[in-house]
Amino acid sequence: MDPETLIVDFWDVGQGNASVITLPDRSRIIIDVGPRTSPLHDWLTLQPDKSIWALVLSHNHADHVGGLPSILAIPGLQIDTLFMLQGPKGGGPTFPWILGDVETAYKRGTIKNVLQLTAGQQIWNSPDRKVVLKIVFPSFLPGIHAKTQNDTSGIVVMESCGGGTVVWAGDAMFEDVCTSTNPAHPYLLHGPHHGAPQDYPSHDPKRMHRMLRTLAPARCHISVGTLNTYDHPNRKYLRHLADSKCAVTCNQITYKCDPRFHVDTPKPVMQIHGRLGLRPPPTGIACRGPLRLYVTGATIKPDEWVAEHREKVQKRCGMNALCIPTHA
Amino acid sequence: MNFAHPQDAQPTPEVTITEQRDAPVQMGPFTGRPSFIFDVPFPQAVMPLGEGDKTIRLWSQPTMRYDSARATVELQPWNIRLRMEEAGNIPREIARTFLTLWTKAERQTLSDPEKSRWAEILEQVDFQQFCVEHAPTRYVQGLLKTRTSAATTVLWQDGTEENVTGAPRTALDLVNEGEAFSAHVRFDRRARTAEIANIAILGDPVSLQASGDDSWIQKR
């Protein structure tokens, strides 16, 4: 493997998001940490080097930041910069607790810098500037994206000169993903909103489909939990992606793909967590589990189990699998 | 969801004789023993680790190959070969092999042959259950909302509410209703609290909140 390669792991944390980017110097950037039960905590606890270059929290919902207090309490953890939004404020007493933990960690020096997540910030770039990781949404400038600070989700983009882009869409609106991702046709779109964009389908489905065709991601990885109570993912959204030749994968299987999962054994489709040296979440049944990308300035490549997973999911779920195109 | 393990009910193992490599039996005095290779499904689905509170559970039965000529027993894909009289050590060897490869996988030090063996082994093991049992405890904060004779309701700091029952509930006896506490917890396969340790009483939850004026964001 090229020593300049970045390893991007989209973790399976059940219903929630967590990604770890391992930089060429072995330090890490983490984008979201997953829910309270996130296996990222167990993995980080046992890592000999616990330094984190940047921790980016796309927004402050429990399935994206719920594991933060546990992670901040890991002995020896060092975070250079934490990027986060300032809200929500109206969510009861619990979120201020998490903010309180951030404040405590900042005061004791576990976190060196705390920055507000806002478009235009560059999180990391390679020395030759061929790979750049930056925040593209939200912008709080009036008249551009006049959203409140409390009710939005950040979008992070990794640009590889020759390989394309990887988009972490968090729980952002699909329209915001389309308008802030430039150029279109990302190599991988992560999300948004666990495969059920909140504005999809909108009052104007044709417009949404047009936008989806314009965005045209080559791959889409959905972080959805088997036991989620929100009816995620959106069947139409996934079918639409799959039918437009986008390679769709989900970390966990849901009843929409495997209607008999609740009576059959909870055997996962694949256990890629173990193969990658990562850990699974305590709940849910893995479908793809985590996804790993190898990113250089010239290429982006997925791990070697793409074909095997496709074969296994087809064998288990047949045409019920939302990632299989209807014309396949 | 039914989490009963398929291997909990064991079918009767079927023995197959796959090969007979011996020469025809010679007349006269007996000089060697007949050689057979038996393939037998390994019947044990749960391998205890240490004191038995942690386990390795298998989804499917690996095949044990008895070689009577060499007096050995071999387990694939685990790559375990033992003398026949040591066959009772197979569960221990399975556990040792699994732990060795798992540690290497987490440290990213698997060689290429080990990688492919690890992938095959993972297909047979309930890795999720193993990781749940091997998870270190984690620091959390919560607010004890109510306590009834059946359950204790806790509001965890991420906003989720849980009715804690069983042994972990006893650990919360020291905390009063309306009090905040911190603890180290471990979760079970349903993300419920399975173990609570090191409880510290934090008192009034208001005192735990951030300063509230957003000023911390500008403190950098």
Side-chain angles (χ1 to χ4, degrees), chain B residues 150-152 163-173 193-194:
Chain B
T152 299
N163 287 327
V164 181
T165 55
R169 180 171 172 253
T170 319
L172 293 171
D173 279 350
T193 304

Side-chain angles (χ1 to χ4, degrees), chain A residues 36 38 41-42 69-70 89 94 97 101 103 106 114-115 261 271 274-276 279 281-284 312, chain B residues 1 102 105-106 108 118 122-123 125 127-128 131 135 138-139 156-158 187 189 211 214 216 219-220:
Chain A
R36 186 167 59 98
S38 173
H41 166 273
D42 304 345
S70 303
K89 290 286 186 294
T94 52
W97 284 16
D101 278 357
E103 188 170 29
Y106 175 74
V114 181
L115 299 180
F261 80 85
Q271 301 193 111
R275 296 189 192 190
L276 292 174
R279 294 189 175 208
T283 60
K312 285 190 171 176
Chain B
M1 184 182 299
W102 175 59
E106 284 218 325
Q108 310 283 329
W118 176 234
L122 272 174
E123 288 296 301
V125 174
F127 186 61
Q128 194 176 24
C131 288
R138 63 180 69 195
Y139 175 85
W156 298 111
Q157 68 198 109
D158 67 338
F187 303 110
R189 192 82 184 256
S211 44
D214 300 339
W216 64 274
K219 281 178 186 169
R220 63 184 181 272

Side-chain angles (χ1 to χ4, degrees), chain A:
Chain A
M1 193 170 66
D2 184 345
E4 293 306 308
T5 303
L6 278 75
I7 299 172
V8 183
D9 287 324
F10 297 90
W11 278 64
D12 170 15
V13 294
Q15 178 78 8
N17 285 26
S19 305
V20 177
I21 301 167
T22 307
L23 301 174
D25 66 357
R26 308 303 295 167
S27 61
R28 304 178 187 94
I29 294 169
I30 297 180
I31 302 175
D32 287 336
V33 296
R36 186 167 59 98
T37 55
S38 173
L40 191 61
H41 166 273
D42 304 345
W43 179 82
L44 259 178
T45 302
L46 298 177
Q47 292 299 307
D49 179 9
K50 297 182 180 66
S51 60
I52 297 169
W53 172 263
L55 174 56
V56 185
L57 304 175
S58 68
H59 66 293
N60 301 321
H61 283 171
D63 54 341
H64 294 250
V65 304
L68 185 66
S70 303
I71 286 174
L72 290 179
I74 295 174
L77 188 84
Q78 274 295 327
I79 300 171
D80 195 83
T81 309
L82 171 71
F83 294 87
M84 69 183 296
L85 296 170
Q86 281 181 278
K89 290 286 186 294
T94 52
F95 191 74
W97 284 16
I98 291 177
L99 291 183
D101 278 357
V102 169
E103 188 170 29
T104 307
Y106 175 74
K107 282 176 180 167
R108 71 167 179 253
T110 302
I111 304 171
K112 282 189 194 162
N113 306 291
V114 181
L115 299 180
Q116 187 174 348
L117 184 83
T118 183
Q121 284 165 314
Q122 194 161 299
I123 301 166
W124 182 84
N125 62 265
S126 59
D128 57 6
R129 295 196 168 268
K130 286 185 174 174
V131 183
V132 177
L133 185 69
K134 61 185 183 183
I135 300 162
V136 297
F137 189 85
S139 164
F140 297 112
L141 294 176
I144 295 180
H145 284 296
K147 289 189 179 289
T148 66
Q149 297 185 5
N150 300 343
D151 189 22
T152 189
S153 168
I155 301 174
V156 178
V157 167
M158 177 183 278
E159 289 177 355
S160 157
C161 247
T165 56
V166 179
V167 180
W168 283 263
D171 283 3
M173 297 289 170
F174 191 73
E175 187 168 352
D176 293 332
V177 177
C178 292
T179 51
S180 51
T181 307
N182 187 30
H185 316 306
Y187 178 84
L188 185 128
L189 172 63
H190 185 41
H193 199 235
H194 318 290
Q198 294 167 76
D199 55 343
Y200 181 96
S202 66
H203 56 279
D204 187 357
K206 281 185 182 172
R207 181 164 171 266
M208 293 301 293
H209 288 165
R210 207 164 44 242
M211 287 168 71
L212 195 52
R213 277 199 301 275
T214 310
L215 186 67
R219 291 175 184 280
C220 187
H221 187 62
I222 306 292
S223 55
V224 63
T226 301
L227 303 176
N228 85 82
T229 52
Y230 310 102
D231 205 29
H232 294 165
N234 183 315
R235 199 186 292 267
K236 279 187 183 171
Y237 176 67
L238 257 62
R239 278 272 185 239
H240 196 93
L241 282 170
D243 287 344
S244 53
K245 295 184 180 173
C246 172
V248 180
T249 49
C250 296
N251 59 327
Q252 295 197 345
I253 200 160
T254 65
Y255 76 93
K256 293 182 180 179
C257 292
D258 185 1
R260 297 190 310 141
F261 80 85
H262 58 290
V263 290
D264 283 351
T265 63
K267 190 173 180 184
V269 176
M270 285 189 86
Q271 301 193 111
I272 292 177
H273 322 80
R275 296 189 192 190
L276 292 174
L278 311 179
R279 294 189 175 208
T283 60
I285 302 167
C287 185
R288 181 58 167 77
L291 172 70
R292 176 169 285 182
L293 296 181
Y294 299 95
V295 180
T296 65
T299 58
I300 303 179
K301 285 180 189 164
D303 58 41
E304 59 262 49
W305 300 296
V306 172
E308 188 183 343
H309 170 254
R310 176 53 63 98
E311 197 179 297
K312 285 190 171 176
V313 83
Q314 205 153 10
K315 193 175 166 190
R316 175 156 167 169
C317 307
M319 293 308 291
N320 279 327
L322 297 175
C323 56
I324 307 292
T326 46
H327 49 75

